[in-house]
C-alpha cells in the first residue's frame, strides 16, 4: 500500500509538495522499523529521486542511509539499482565519496545483466562525473557495440 501511495503522490501537481514531504518523512521513519522491506525501500528511492530541488537534503539523507543499508544487504539488486540511480540524480557535493564508492555496485549490476545497455550507460555517466574518462569511453563503446545507433552513447 505504501508503494502505491508514493506512486500516486508523484502524479499530483506541484501544490502537493507538502504531502510529498510528509510521505517521504513518514516512509523514511517506517523503513527504520521495517529494514527488510526492499520493495518499499526501492520505491522510496525512486520517489525521493523525483522530488524537486528543495528536497535535496532529504535526497542526500536517503543516499547516506541507503549506502549504510547496502553494506548489510549488498546482494539486493533492486535497491542497488535504485541507489546508483539516486546518486546520479542528486548531484550533491557531500555525496562525492559515495559516488566514487558506487563503482563496484555499477559493476555488479552490469555483471548480473550484461545485455542491458541502460546499466552500462548509467555507469558511463557516473564515470564521467568522476572524471574517469577512459573508463567512461569504454562503457559507451560497449553500448554502441550492442546498439550502434544508440543516441545517448554517441
Amino acid at each position: 500500500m505504501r508503494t502505491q501511495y508514493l506512486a500516486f503522490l508523484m502524479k499530483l501537481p506541484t501544490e502537493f509538495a507538502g504531502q510529498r514531504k510528509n510521505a517521504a518523512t513518514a516512509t523514511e521513519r517506517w523503513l527504520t522499523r521495517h529494514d527488510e522491506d526492499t520493495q518499499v525501500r526501492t520505491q522510496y528511492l525512486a520517489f525521493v529521486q523525483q522530488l524537486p530541488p528543495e528536497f535535496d537534503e532529504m535526497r542526500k539523507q536517503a543516499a547516506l542511509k541507503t549506502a549504510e543499508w547496502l553494506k548489510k544487504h549488498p546482494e539486493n539488486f533492486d535497491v542497488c539499482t535504485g541507489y546508483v540511480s539516486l546518486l546520479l540524480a542528486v548531484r550533491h557535493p557531500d555525496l562525492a565519496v559515495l559516488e566514487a564508492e558506487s563503482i563496484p555496485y555499477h559493476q555488479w549490476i552490469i555483471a548480473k545483466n550484461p545485455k542491458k545497455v541502460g546499466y552500462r550507460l548509467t555507469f558511463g555517466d557516473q564515470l564521467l562525473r568522476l572524471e574517469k574518462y577512459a573508463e567512461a569511453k569504454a562503457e559507451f563503446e560497449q553500448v554502441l557495440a550492442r546498439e550502434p545507433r544508440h543516441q545517448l552513447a554517441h
Side-chain angles (χ1 to χ4, degrees):
M1 183 65 146
R2 187 170 296 274
T3 58
Q4 293 167 333
Y5 181 61
L6 293 176
F8 165 74
L9 284 176
M10 285 315 299
K11 296 176 183 173
L12 297 176
T14 56
E15 59 261 20
F16 289 89
Q19 286 87 340
R20 286 187 183 101
K21 182 177 182 181
N22 291 341
T25 302
T27 303
E28 183 180 336
R29 282 194 307 266
W30 188 88
L31 285 169
T32 62
R33 296 186 314 274
H34 300 89
D35 192 54
E36 74 293 343
D37 195 322
T38 59
Q39 185 178 6
V40 171
R41 188 172 302 280
T42 302
Q43 182 68 30
Y44 172 71
L45 292 173
F47 179 77
V48 297
Q49 181 177 331
Q50 297 175 38
L51 293 173
E54 60 264 23
F55 292 91
D56 279 351
E57 183 60 29
M58 185 173 282
R59 280 196 286 268
K60 173 185 152 187
Q61 291 305 314
L64 291 167
K65 289 176 182 175
T66 304
E68 287 303 311
W69 187 89
L70 281 169
K71 288 177 184 174
K72 295 181 243 170
H73 309 89
E75 298 291 318
N76 189 282
F77 184 81
D78 293 333
V79 174
C80 192
T81 57
Y83 171 69
V84 297
S85 180
L86 177 65
L87 285 178
L88 262 176
V90 172
R91 298 183 186 259
H92 196 291
D94 292 349
L95 300 177
V97 171
L98 293 182
E99 289 182 31
E101 292 173 351
S102 74
I103 289 175
Y105 291 123
H106 285 279
Q107 292 167 332
W108 179 73
I109 291 166
I110 291 168
K112 298 284 271 179
N113 292 281
K115 293 183 180 179
K116 275 195 104 167
V117 297
Y119 295 136
R120 285 196 181 278
L121 196 61
T122 300
F123 186 32
D125 286 342
Q126 186 66 55
L127 290 167
L128 279 177
R129 283 181 52 183
L130 295 170
E131 298 180 4
K132 295 180 176 281
Y133 302 117
E135 294 97 328
K137 180 181 180 221
E139 291 302 321
F140 293 137
E141 286 172 346
Q142 288 285 330
V143 171
L144 291 172
R146 290 202 181 273
E147 292 186 22
R149 292 194 169 112
H150 197 292
Q151 293 291 326
L152 298 175
H154 281 278

